[in-house]
Amino acid sequence: MMRIEIAGAGAGKTTNLAKKIVANHKKMDPSKYIYCVSYTNSSVEKISSMLKGYYDSIPNNIVVTTIHSFFYNELIKPFHYLLYEEHYSKVSNSTLPNKVQFRNSKLKNFRSKGYLHVDDFTKYAKYVVCGKSNDKKITKKKREKVKKFLSTYIGSVFVDEAQDIDKYTKEVLIELNNMNLFIEIIGDPNQDLRGHEQLDKLVKEYPDKVVYNNICLRSPQTHLDFSNLFISEYQRQYNEKKATGEINYVFQTDLNNVKGLCEDYDLAYIYQKNKYFNTQSPSKNELVYEEIKFLIDRYSPEIKYQNKVLQIASKITTYLFRYVNQGISVEKAINKIFPYGALLPKDYKGLEEVMYRSLGSDQENRIKISSIQSIKGLDEEKCLFVVTSQFIPYLKQDRNKDSIRMKSHLYVALTRAKSKLTILICKDVEEKYRKEDIMDLFDKYGITALS
C-alpha cells in the first residue's frame, strides 16, 4: 500500500511524520521493521529526536537512517553479489567531476577497484529490486527469492524529503509497494532544488494515493499570498491563524551599507554567488557546527533532546560567523559566545582552529551570505532574499521559463521568514532590466519599498 502526502514549507512535516511512525508501530507485526529514510544526517537527527519524545529509547524495530544507508545496508551489500557476482566491499564519497563523461569514467574506475560510490547507490539498489533489462532467467528467479525474504522482515518504509528522489529511487519505491509493503512518501515538489521531478511523476501516476496538506505553521498569510502565485492551485497554502507579516523590497543601488543590511537579518541568502555576493560553503560552516555540537554535549549534558542541541548549535554557528563578518576577530567572537573560563583552554583552541580553517584565507570584498540550497529546512523571524536576474522572468510569470529548479529555489526563498521578508534586488538586475519596470512589478503584487 502506498500513500503520498504533499506538504508545503512549514507544514510540520517532521512532527507529523514522527506521529505516523508511532501509530504504525502500534498496529504493526512486532517481528517486522519500520524504516524511516531521509536525505541528510541532520534530517535523520531531527526525526530521531522527535521519536525520542514518544519513547524512552527508540524501539529496535524502528530504524531511522539516510536513504543511501538503507539502500546499501539492506539491498546492495547483502544481495547484489548474489544476483550479479559483483562485490563492492568499500564505499567512496569523494567529489566527482561535473562533466558527464569524466564523471562516468570516474565511477567506472571506482567499481573496477571494488568501490561503489554513493552516487551509484540508487541505481544499484534498483538493480537488486527491479533488475536489469538483460537479466537472465536464473537471476530473475533469485530476485523473486530476495524480494520474498525482504517481505519477511520489512513492514513499512517512510520516505521524508521525497522531492529529492531520483528516477531509480522512484522505481525501487514502486516495486516495494508491489511487494505489499506499506510505503509512506512525504515531500514537497515545490522544493525540488535538484530538479529531479520524480515526486511530481509519482503524484501523476498514483493520483488516488495522494493527499494534500495545505496548512502552513510558519509563514504569515501575506507571505503565502505571494508564494502561492508561483505554485499549483492544489498546493497553495494558508495559515490557520491568518497571521500577518511584513514583506517589502529594496534596490542594492539605493543602499549605502549593503553588508550592514545583510547582518541585520537572521538569514540572508542568494541563488548562487556572483560578483557582489559570495556564499559560505555549507561544508565549511559544518565544521564549526559539528564542533559546537560536541561542546554542547560536553558542557551541557542536561540538554537531553537532540533537537534542542541542533537548534542551539545552529544559532551559535550563525552568530560566530556574523561577528567575524562584522570585523571582530575570531578570538573575540568566540569570547562573546563563551566568556573567559566557560571552556577549557584546549577547547577554546580547538574552536579557534576550526573557525580559522572554515574561514580560510578569503579576504575578498564580496559580501558573504548563504545559498538558498544551504538554508532549505531552516526558518527565522527576519529573512533577506537577494533576488538576482535569473529570478525576474519567474517573478514576471513568463510562461517560456519553466525550470523546476529555478521555480523551486524561488519558492524556498519566499517561505523561510516567520515575520519579515525583505527582497534585496541585486545590481545585476538593473544591468538587464529597467529599474522602473522592476518597481512596477512589485507594485503589481502589492509589495512596497523598504522604508
Side-chain angles (χ1 to χ4, degrees):
M1 175 185 170
M2 182 185 290
R3 184 178 184 275
I4 303 169
E5 180 179 331
I6 302 302
K13 291 187 283 292
T14 305
T15 302
N16 291 334
L17 175 60
K19 289 179 181 177
K20 289 174 183 177
I21 292 171
V22 171
N24 185 256
H25 184 256
K26 287 178 180 177
K27 63 184 181 182
M28 195 186 70
D29 181 345
S31 68
K32 294 198 172 186
Y33 283 75
I34 295 173
Y35 288 89
C36 177
V37 299
S38 191
Y39 276 83
T40 62
N41 289 322
S42 62
S43 177
V44 167
E45 288 178 349
K46 286 179 183 177
I47 296 166
S48 298
S49 180
M50 288 284 185
L51 288 172
K52 286 173 184 175
Y54 291 92
Y55 304 104
D56 292 333
S57 61
I58 299 175
N60 292 333
N61 63 340
I62 298 179
V63 180
V64 185
T65 186
T66 63
I67 196 160
H68 292 93
S69 292
F70 172 67
F71 280 165
Y72 184 73
N73 292 320
E74 304 302 325
L75 302 179
I76 300 169
K77 189 176 180 180
F79 302 119
H80 189 269
Y81 181 79
L82 175 69
L83 296 170
Y84 296 107
E85 296 186 358
E86 296 172 357
H87 185 57
Y88 302 106
S89 57
K90 304 166 189 173
V91 171
S92 173
N93 193 24
S94 62
T95 304
L96 294 171
N98 290 324
K99 288 191 176 181
V100 175
Q101 65 267 38
F102 297 138
R103 185 186 187 88
N104 290 340
S105 175
K106 186 95 172 177
L107 290 171
K108 186 177 180 181
N109 187 46
F110 277 131
R111 292 193 293 268
S112 69
K113 296 177 180 178
Y115 284 85
L116 192 65
H117 195 278
V118 291
D119 276 24
D120 268 339
F121 280 11
T122 58
K123 180 165 68 175
Y124 278 71
K126 181 251 180 185
Y127 290 161
V128 170
V129 175
C130 309
K132 302 179 184 179
S133 58
N134 60 349
D135 278 345
K136 297 177 181 177
K137 195 174 287 186
I138 188 169
T139 304
K140 292 178 181 179
K141 285 183 178 180
K142 286 180 181 178
R143 178 171 297 103
E144 289 308 309
K145 291 181 180 179
V146 166
K147 291 195 291 186
K148 189 173 181 180
F149 175 72
L150 290 170
S151 298
T152 63
Y153 75 91
I154 299 178
S156 306
V157 179
F158 290 82
V159 183
D160 190 28
E161 301 292 344
Q163 66 271 4
D164 291 333
I165 63 175
D166 63 11
K167 63 180 181 179
Y168 302 119
T169 303
K170 172 177 169 277
E171 291 182 55
V172 170
L173 294 175
I174 289 173
E175 190 57 36
L176 293 177
N177 176 61
N178 293 338
M179 291 160 54
N180 292 319
L181 304 182
F182 177 75
I183 310 297
E184 174 102 12
I185 298 168
I186 303 167
D188 180 7
N190 297 311
Q191 297 188 64
D192 182 8
L193 299 186
R194 305 181 190 200
H196 288 319
E197 301 183 47
Q198 297 304 312
L199 179 57
D200 252 338
K201 290 180 180 179
L202 269 177
V203 168
K204 290 171 184 173
E205 291 174 25
Y206 296 88
D208 57 322
K209 306 294 184 183
V210 181
V211 295
Y212 291 92
N213 177 359
N214 300 96
I215 295 172
C216 179
L217 306 173
R218 174 196 299 156
S219 301
Q221 191 60 48
T222 46
H223 296 190
L224 295 175
D225 289 341
F226 187 43
S227 62
N228 282 342
L229 296 172
F230 308 103
I231 61 177
S232 75
E233 185 179 349
Y234 293 110
Q235 297 168 45
R236 288 175 183 168
Q237 296 178 277
Y238 65 93
N239 187 308
E240 284 186 318
K241 296 179 181 179
K242 299 294 180 184
T244 58
E246 184 181 349
I247 180 168
N248 47 45
Y249 71 91
V250 64
F251 287 88
Q252 183 180 352
T253 52
D254 290 340
L255 295 171
N256 294 322
N257 186 1
V258 179
K259 184 177 179 182
L261 180 73
C262 293
E263 290 167 354
D264 282 341
Y265 285 78
D266 303 311
L267 271 182
Y269 43 84
I270 191 171
Y271 173 55
Q272 60 188 14
K273 61 186 177 183
N274 60 19
K275 59 185 176 182
Y276 307 108
F277 298 90
N278 198 1
T279 52
Q280 295 169 347
S281 167
S283 60
K284 290 181 179 179
N285 284 0
E286 192 73 20
L287 291 172
V288 178
Y289 175 68
E290 291 296 329
E291 182 72 12
I292 297 296
K293 274 173 39 181
F294 166 76
L295 293 175
I296 293 170
D297 287 337
R298 168 176 281 187
Y299 289 94
S300 300
E302 71 277 5
I303 302 176
K304 301 295 183 184
Y305 292 103
Q306 187 65 17
N307 204 36
K308 187 68 175 175
V309 172
L310 300 179
Q311 289 174 356
I312 296 171
S314 178
K315 285 278 188 184
I316 291 175
T317 303
T318 298
Y319 277 104
L320 280 172
F321 280 103
R322 184 178 297 172
Y323 290 145
V324 171
N325 288 337
Q326 289 171 353
I328 298 172
S329 70
V330 167
E331 293 80 1
K332 288 182 179 178
I334 291 172
N335 283 324
K336 283 176 76 72
I337 303 290
F338 302 104
Y340 181 75
L343 306 177
L344 293 172
K346 66 176 182 179
D347 289 326
Y348 278 115
K349 189 67 177 174
L351 184 53
E352 282 178 19
E353 288 177 0
V354 171
M355 280 292 292
Y356 279 118
R357 203 184 327 155
S358 297
L359 293 165
S361 58
D362 183 11
Q363 299 297 321
E364 65 179 351
N365 293 321
R366 287 187 294 176
I367 299 167
K368 290 187 177 68
I369 57 176
S370 301
S371 66
I372 294 173
Q373 174 78 45
S374 72
I375 55 93
K376 190 183 85 164
L378 301 181
D379 56 52
E380 288 290 354
E381 290 295 327
K382 299 195 309 177
C383 293
L384 183 74
F385 170 28
V386 180
V387 166
T388 49
S389 58
Q390 298 101 318
F391 283 114
I392 299 302
Y394 296 91
L395 288 168
K396 287 184 171 184
Q397 297 179 292
D398 184 345
R399 293 187 180 183
N400 294 320
K401 294 291 183 179
D402 197 31
S403 164
I404 294 297
R405 289 187 75 252
M406 289 305 299
K407 285 183 176 179
S408 296
H409 278 80
L410 176 61
Y411 173 78
V412 169
L414 294 176
T415 53
R416 299 305 99 193
K418 293 195 254 184
S419 60
K420 181 178 181 179
L421 173 64
T422 295
I423 296 170
L424 172 58
I425 300 159
C426 186
K427 279 184 182 179
D428 81 320
V429 172
E430 289 188 69
E431 292 167 5
K432 293 187 177 182
Y433 301 91
R434 292 174 64 245
K435 187 172 186 176
E436 292 77 11
D437 292 340
I438 301 302
M439 292 170 69
D440 289 343
L441 176 64
F442 284 103
D443 288 344
K444 182 183 80 171
Y445 291 131
I447 298 173
T448 58
L450 179 68
S451 56

